[in-house]
Amino acid sequence: MKALTTALLSAMLLIFSTLAQANLTIEITRGSDRATPIAVVPFAADGESLPEDVAQIVSDNLERSGFFEPLERGAMYDQPTSSEEVGYGQWRALDVRYLVVGRVAREGEGYRIRYELMDVSGSRRMLGETVTASSNELRGGAHYISDQIFEAITGIRGAFSTRIAYVTAQGAGDDMQFALYVADADGRNSQQVLNSREPILSPAWSPDGRKLAYVSFETERPAIYIQELSSGQRVRATAFEGVNGAPAWSPDGRKLAMSLSKDGQPEIYVMDVAERSFERITNSSSIDTEPAWAPDGRSLLFTSDRSGGPQIYRHDLGSGQVERLTFTGNYNARGRFAPDGQSLFLVHRSNNGYQIARQDLESSRLVVLSDSHWDESPSVAPNGTMVIFATRQGNSGVLGAVSADGRASYRLPSAQGDVREPAWSPFLN
Amino acid sequence: MQFKSHARSLALVLSLVLVAGCSSRGGTQDGSMDGTNGGAAGTGVSGTGQVSGTGTGTNGDRAGQQADGRIPEVRIIYFDFDRDNIRSEFESVLVAHARYLRSNGNARVVLQGHTDERGTREYNMALGERRANSVKRFLEVQGVSPSQLEVVSYGEERPAVRGHNDAAYDQNRRVVFAY
C-alpha cells in the first residue's frame, strides 16, 4: 500500500539537535492551601562549587507538586547536613513537618549525593540513601531524590524524573516555523526532535518512553510519524488522503489509535504498529477524533459531534458499545483518562472560555480545574497528580499545569514563540 | 447558448441546495461561546474583493468570461463563525473556479481548509476539512471532475493573521484555492 510506505527517514533537519534549545522556566501561580510544610536544607558541598543546587531543585520540585510548601532558606536558623546534626525542637518551632538534609561530594568524574528525610513531629529519620551521579546528571540525581521523598511522604510514586514533549510555533501566514521538543518535566534540558516550516501537532509518547508518534505536515499533507528518540530514526505510519490525526498509543505499545478521514468523515481507527493493519472502530456520519486509551486497554475515549456539538464518548472494544460520557455544557473535547481510570481530564467550554476540567466517571460530576480562557490539550502526569496543558500568557502560548484537585498550579513560560501541545511522558525509570 | 446558460443556472441552484443540505446538520463549530452568534459573525471581511452575487446564471457567466484562460484571481473564500456553508458573496468565486477547472482539465487544485483558533486542535482539523469539503461538493456539482480536486485541512495550525480577536478570526476561517 502506497499510503503505508515505511519510509525510513533521517534527513539532516530531523536529527536531534542539542544546539536548538527552548528551555522553559517555572512560575508558580497558585499554591495549595493544603500543602505540607517541609524544609529542604542546602546540601553541603565540601567547599566545592557545584554546577547545580541539588537541594534547590528538590525544593522546587516538591513545591511545584502542590503537595508541599518549602520553608524559605532565610528562615532556617540552622543548616544541618546529616540527621545527627538535627535539633528537632527548632524545626517544630518553625511548624515544619518534614526535613531534608544532605551533602554532595566529588567521586571520580561524578558526584556522590547523600540525603536523609526526617519526620519532624515524630523526631525520626524516615529515609536515607546515597546516590551517585555523573557530572552532567546532577539534576537527574536531584529529580530521583525528589521522587523518593515524595513517595515516602505521600505514598504516591513521584513523577519528577519524567519528561515532556511540546511544540513551538513562530510567525503567521506563509512564514511559520514549527518545532517539536522534549525536555525534563521541569522544562530544563530541552532537545529538539524535529523542525519544519509546516505544522507539527499531537505528540504522543509510547508507553516505554522511547518513541513519539506525532502529526507532521512537512509534505504539505498531514501524516503520522513514529520517531525513536535516542536515534532520531523514524517511520511514516500513515499518509492517507484526508485527515491523519490524533495518534494515541495503546497501553501495551502495540497499537496506535488515530483519526483518519480516508473513508469520508474522520473516524477512529486502530493500527497494529508491527502488522501495519488497520481496524475501523467508529462508523458515523459525524466527526470522530481525539482517541485515548483506557489504562486497561479495553476501551477508547473519543470526541464526536454526533449529537450536534463535540462531546466525549467511550467505545468498549470488546462489545463495540458506545456510551456518551459528557453532558455538562455544549463543548467537551480531547478526553484523557487519569492513570487509575476513575476520572477523565478534558477541555470544557463554559461562558468563561475553554478550561481544563476533570470528570469523575462514577458520578459524572465535572469540576473545572484551570482558570484561564484559552486552556487546551490536557496531558496527565503518569502518577495522576498533575495535568499539563496549553494556555496563554499575554499574546503568547505557554504551558501550564494544575494539580488534579485544582488546588495548585504553575506555568512554564518560554522566551521564544508559542509553546503548545504538551505531552507528559510515562515513568522512565 | 440559451440552453447553456440555463444549465449553468440549474447547476448553481443545485450546488446551493446540495451544499446547504449537507451542511445543515452539525454545522462547523469552531467554538461559539454561547452558540447564538452563529451566522452573524461575517462582519467586515476585507481583502477578498467585492464580488456581488445575485444567485443567477448571469453572475456565473460574467465571472467565467474573466476566468476561462487563467486562474481566477480571488483564491480565498471566508466562512461565518460556526458554519461551513458557502456565503452568497463567494458563490461567483466558486463558479469562476469551476469554469476554469472545467476548461482546463489538467489543472488541479488543493482546497486548503482552515479554522480559527477556538476549540481543540484535532477537532478543528476535522472542521477545516468539513469547510473544504463544502467547497469541493459545490465544484463537483458545477461539473468539475473529482480528480482535479484535493482537500487538505490545516485546522487552526496556519492562521492567515496572528491575533486573538474577531477581526483575526474572520480572516482565519477560510478555504484557500492552492493551484
Side-chain angles (χ1 to χ4, degrees):
Chain A
M1 280 169 90
K2 186 182 161 201
L4 286 179
T5 316
T6 61
L8 260 169
L9 304 160
S10 55
M12 287 299 282
L13 81 159
L14 311 171
I15 289 172
F16 257 85
S17 162
T18 47
L19 295 173
Q21 291 254 320
N23 278 346
L24 308 172
T25 52
I26 302 256
E27 260 175 38
I28 300 220
T29 44
R30 188 166 71 238
S32 171
D33 52 359
R34 290 188 187 171
T36 301
I38 190 169
V40 185
V41 179
F43 286 11
D46 296 336
E48 201 161 346
S49 153
L50 299 174
E52 300 286 351
D53 184 338
V54 174
Q56 190 65 53
I57 296 169
V58 172
S59 177
D60 289 347
N61 282 343
L62 295 175
E63 182 176 18
R64 207 169 68 242
S65 74
F67 282 73
F68 296 98
E69 184 186 356
L71 184 72
E72 283 177 40
R73 284 181 175 181
M76 298 175 187
Y77 304 127
D78 187 17
Q79 300 202 340
T81 59
S82 75
S83 54
E84 293 85 37
E85 299 170 19
V86 172
Y88 285 100
Q90 60 165 299
W91 297 103
R92 269 197 290 275
L94 289 166
D95 285 329
V96 166
R97 291 273 307 279
Y98 298 95
L99 178 67
V100 178
V101 299
R103 58 194 320 132
V104 184
R106 269 232 173 255
E107 188 177 72
E109 293 295 295
Y111 297 96
R112 194 176 70 243
I113 314 169
R114 173 162 179 76
Y115 73 94
E116 291 172 284
L117 168 66
M118 269 75 65
D119 172 358
V120 172
S121 47
S123 301
R124 66 184 182 96
R125 182 175 177 273
M126 292 173 70
L127 187 66
E129 194 180 357
T130 301
V131 181
T132 55
S134 64
S135 57
N136 58 358
E137 281 175 350
L138 259 184
R139 292 194 72 86
H143 294 321
Y144 169 83
I145 292 166
S146 308
D147 286 338
Q148 303 312 306
I149 292 168
F150 186 84
E151 184 165 358
I153 297 173
T154 67
I156 302 165
R157 188 172 173 187
F160 303 110
S161 301
T162 54
R163 308 203 85 195
I164 49 173
Y166 53 91
V167 173
T168 63
Q170 287 170 300
D174 292 332
D175 187 22
M176 289 192 75
Q177 192 68 46
F178 299 84
L180 174 62
Y181 286 90
V182 293
D184 290 350
D186 64 359
R188 302 288 294 269
N189 287 330
S190 65
Q191 291 173 303
Q192 195 178 90
V193 176
L194 177 75
N195 71 69
S196 173
R197 292 177 58 78
E198 297 291 337
I200 302 168
L201 71 158
S202 299
W205 291 87
S206 62
D208 63 7
R210 293 179 178 177
K211 285 173 277 188
L212 284 179
Y214 55 82
V215 176
S216 168
F217 278 69
E218 64 202 53
T219 62
E220 298 184 352
R221 306 286 185 278
I224 296 173
Y225 298 82
I226 297 172
Q227 182 160 344
E228 189 180 71
L229 289 170
S230 59
S231 65
Q233 280 205 328
R234 62 180 198 154
V235 294
R236 191 166 67 198
T238 74
F240 293 106
E241 191 175 341
V243 169
N244 295 258
W249 295 89
S250 62
D252 65 7
R254 293 179 179 169
K255 292 173 177 170
L256 210 52
M258 59 185 67
S259 180
L260 303 171
S261 66
K262 65 190 180 73
D263 298 325
Q265 297 280 345
E267 303 282 355
I268 306 298
Y269 291 78
V270 170
M271 175 188 183
D272 183 306
V273 175
E275 304 271 331
R276 310 192 78 76
S277 60
F278 292 82
E279 182 189 356
R280 182 167 167 174
I281 303 299
T282 60
N283 197 340
S284 73
S285 58
S286 57
I287 289 170
D288 294 327
T289 186
E290 300 174 340
W293 295 81
D296 64 7
R298 289 156 71 172
S299 63
L300 284 171
L301 294 179
F302 64 97
T303 305
S304 176
D305 71 342
R306 57 189 61 189
S307 64
Q311 296 291 345
I312 297 170
Y313 294 77
R314 179 182 200 156
H315 180 103
D316 185 300
L317 290 166
S319 68
Q321 286 198 322
V322 175
E323 177 193 7
R324 178 171 163 181
L325 298 181
T326 53
F327 292 91
T328 308
N330 59 10
Y331 195 114
N332 294 292
R334 203 187 190 270
R336 291 285 189 274
F337 278 102
D340 65 5
Q342 302 293 301
S343 58
L344 51 113
F345 297 91
L346 53 100
V347 176
H348 170 73
R349 188 176 68 201
S350 67
N351 292 332
N352 206 18
Y354 297 83
Q355 278 118 17
I356 308 305
R358 176 172 48 83
Q359 179 170 319
D360 181 76
L361 279 173
E362 183 76 27
S363 69
S364 291
R365 202 168 69 94
L366 184 137
V367 181
V368 172
L369 302 177
S370 65
D371 51 14
S372 150
H373 310 297
W374 304 104
D375 301 335
E376 62 174 348
S377 305
S379 176
V380 191
N383 65 1
T385 60
M386 298 290 296
V387 183
I388 195 166
F389 57 93
T391 182
R392 194 181 296 157
Q393 195 165 37
N395 270 330
S396 294
V398 300
L399 302 186
V402 64
S403 59
D405 63 6
R407 288 173 183 276
S409 65
Y410 61 89
R411 284 185 176 164
L412 299 102
S414 163
Q416 53 203 161
D418 287 321
V419 186
R420 61 204 20 199
E421 294 286 87
W424 208 314
S425 80
F427 289 116
L428 300 172
N429 47 8
Chain B
M1 202 55 199
Q2 192 65 18
F3 171 76
K4 251 180 113 176
S5 174
H6 276 305
R8 254 183 223 121
S9 304
L10 191 65
L12 179 64
V13 169
L14 251 170
S15 317
L16 294 175
V17 169
L18 206 91
V19 170
C22 289
S23 58
S24 63
R25 200 198 54 77
T28 301
Q29 280 210 351
D30 314 60
S32 68
M33 291 312 214
D34 52 17
T36 54
N37 53 348
T43 51
V45 175
S46 58
T48 59
Q50 203 52 47
V51 193
S52 64
T54 54
T56 68
T58 54
N59 180 42
D61 278 340
R62 185 151 45 78
Q65 275 164 17
Q66 299 163 351
D68 265 356
R70 55 196 161 86
I71 300 171
E73 276 172 24
V74 179
R75 291 175 205 169
I76 304 179
I77 68 163
Y78 298 90
F79 288 78
D80 282 344
F81 181 69
D82 205 10
R83 290 286 183 272
D84 61 1
N85 59 301
I86 309 296
R87 270 155 51 182
S88 58
E89 72 257 45
F90 295 116
E91 284 156 15
S92 60
V93 175
L94 265 58
V95 167
H97 282 280
R99 173 171 294 223
Y100 171 80
L101 288 162
R102 281 198 312 268
S103 332
N104 298 275
N106 292 328
R108 281 179 56 84
V109 66
V110 177
L111 304 169
Q112 299 174 340
H114 299 268
T115 69
D116 66 37
E117 67 177 4
R118 291 171 287 179
T120 67
R121 291 178 180 279
E122 288 286 3
Y123 189 69
N124 281 343
M125 204 57 79
L127 295 179
E129 182 175 68
R130 198 177 261 175
R131 278 191 182 133
N133 274 329
S134 169
V135 173
K136 181 170 187 268
R137 277 194 302 273
F138 190 108
L139 297 175
E140 285 173 7
V141 172
Q142 292 277 320
V144 177
S145 163
S147 67
Q148 291 175 275
L149 305 171
E150 185 188 357
V151 162
V152 174
S153 175
Y154 282 88
E156 65 178 279
E157 304 303 317
R158 289 207 76 110
V161 178
R162 205 183 137 85
H164 311 297
N165 49 52
D166 285 343
Y169 298 159
D170 288 346
Q171 297 281 301
N172 291 337
R173 290 187 306 268
R174 68 203 194 277
V175 167
V176 178
F177 289 77
Y179 282 92

